[in-house]
Amino acid sequence: MNLDIAHYAAAVGAALADLPDDIRAELLEDLPAHLAEVAAEVEAEGGTLEARLGTPAAYAAELRATLGASVPAGGGARLSTLVVQAKGRLRTTDRQIGRIIGYAGLSEFGRLLRPGWWVVRGYLAAWILCEVVSGGSGPEGALPRIGDSVVGGLIVALAMIVASVWLGRTAATRVKRWQRVGSGVVSAGLVLFGIGLLVNVDDQATREYGGGYYGEYPGQWVDASWQGGGNLVVVDAKGQVLSQVSVINLDSESYVDAKIHNCDAILTWEYERWPVLARLCRHQGLYPGDSPTGGPTAAPTVAPTTTPSVTPTTAPTR
Amino acid sequence: MDTTQLLKGVLDLAVLAVLREEDGYGYDILRRLRSAGLDEIGDASVYGTLRRLFAAGYLTTYVVPSEEGPHRKYYSLNPSGRSQLKTGGETWRGFAATMDALLESR
């Protein structure tokens, strides 16, 4: 019977969700106690709570009617008018979006998704709990683990999901402001954490399966066949081409016999010959022609001068 | 005419009136109103009205522990509630007399 009362009160609370928090809290504060009173009487008379009181929605509607015009206006009358208008507009948008997806309203659809969120919330809480219990050895995957035990982790997850669903089902009976604010903060934290977890898992997955990716960055671009020699370019972790570097072979304890290119003195023909070098340098905003030195076709600086500066003058003869 | 519409306006007064002689708890007040002839009154109306009258400062409450079953919250008229009942009653009587006269003359 007590569970019935809690559920009934929760359903009434849900139907009044659009009321301002303080008014709603005041209306619902005593409701479970009152319903318990009614239930005791109704049982003594041989009936059931719902048969006597009608559906929670009907009860909520009747309760709402008792608010009448007495919904406090007070000093914030103008503000409350604005709030009411804004809420009206929100409700319209809610219904319009709802029509598109085939529900009475977007919020209606959201309410249907709520149990799903409770399950996800329980799972995330279990993941955090397992991480704390295992000494925070860092994220290893999407499954919660106690130490190395996935089974243990899943048992914890199951327990947390059950707890989370129970919390969700009875949430409407906890109407104190701090309880609502507190659960909101915790939920927001869990959502952020969940997104972080998703990104982390996705990152690991794409790194694992993305081996064929040919990128500009080290570690993704390994050529095991290189024996030394040839033309090289040295890049840092961000793919920036380093200049004035040398490569030393530790086995032979000597500089490798290779030409090491960079973007400082690159020539047009070098760009054409090594497209990768061109791409790396363009990535740094350097293009051929920007470079201070000319190409191999640059004209020699010494050119023969042919014009004599002095021309012989012939003196006129008488 | 639907009496539930009429009732809305005078529910406060009706609840204050049944508390004049004796304090009562929610279900008990509902029963008193029904036995007085307001059969259509619903539990939520009474509960909501009690909450509102309490918030407005017309009622005081106290809890009576019960050996069997849940504790009961009793509502009681305070001086402010009594004066509200008096002025509300006068307003009603004046209004009812006007309506009576109006209906009589037709």
Side-chain angles (χ1 to χ4, degrees), chain A residues 45-208:
Chain A
E45 293 168 14
T48 68
L49 193 62
E50 188 142 341
R52 175 60 64 99
L53 298 177
T55 65
Y59 193 93
E62 198 182 324
L63 204 52
R64 186 191 294 270
T66 66
L67 290 172
S70 76
V71 174
R78 199 166 291 169
L79 184 67
S80 70
T81 314
L82 285 178
V83 168
V84 167
Q85 284 173 350
K87 278 189 174 169
R89 231 168 284 141
L90 270 179
R91 262 197 291 278
T92 312
T93 315
D94 187 53
R95 271 199 301 274
Q96 283 167 344
I97 298 176
R99 211 174 299 144
I100 297 170
I101 56 174
Y103 287 86
L106 185 60
S107 55
E108 178 70 30
F109 182 61
R111 260 195 284 281
L112 289 174
L113 290 183
R114 236 187 241 167
W117 158 241
W118 298 338
V119 171
V120 173
R121 178 175 66 177
Y123 185 84
L124 292 174
W127 205 95
I128 294 176
L129 187 70
C130 287
E131 220 18 52
V132 171
V133 168
S134 312
S137 50
E140 285 174 14
L143 290 177
R145 287 176 172 78
I146 290 197
D148 284 329
S149 165
V150 175
V151 174
L154 287 179
I155 289 170
V156 173
L158 198 65
M160 292 304 279
I161 288 170
V162 169
S164 171
V165 169
W166 179 83
L167 273 174
R169 271 163 64 94
T170 58
T173 57
R174 289 183 292 280
V175 292
K176 297 242 167 61
R177 181 172 285 264
W178 68 267
Q179 288 170 328
R180 288 155 63 98
V181 170
S183 74
V185 168
V186 170
S187 292
L190 282 177
V191 166
L192 285 179
F193 173 78
I195 292 171
L197 184 63
L198 202 62
V199 167
N200 187 44
V201 168
D202 178 74
D203 189 41
Q204 284 177 1
T206 49
R207 215 177 280 169
E208 208 166 314

Side-chain angles (χ1 to χ4, degrees), chain A residues 295-310:
Chain A
T297 55
T301 50
V302 183
T305 51
T306 47
T307 5
S309 55
V310 179

Side-chain angles (χ1 to χ4, degrees), chain A residues 26-27 29-30, chain B residues 47-55 73 75:
Chain A
E26 196 178 276
L27 261 186
E29 191 189 354
D30 246 6
Chain B
Y47 168 75
T49 302
L50 283 170
R51 290 301 303 167
R52 189 154 47 77
L53 291 173
F54 173 72
K73 187 177 231 175
Y75 291 86

Side-chain angles (χ1 to χ4, degrees), chain B residues 16-54:
Chain B
L16 290 173
V18 297
L19 286 171
R20 182 175 42 197
E21 300 299 334
E22 203 184 337
D23 300 349
Y25 58 94
Y27 195 77
D28 176 41
I29 294 165
L30 175 69
R31 213 158 29 197
R32 286 189 214 170
L33 288 164
R34 282 187 175 163
S35 64
L38 300 173
D39 313 327
E40 291 172 37
I41 203 164
D43 180 80
S45 301
V46 174
Y47 168 75
T49 302
L50 283 170
R51 290 301 303 167
R52 189 154 47 77
L53 291 173
F54 173 72

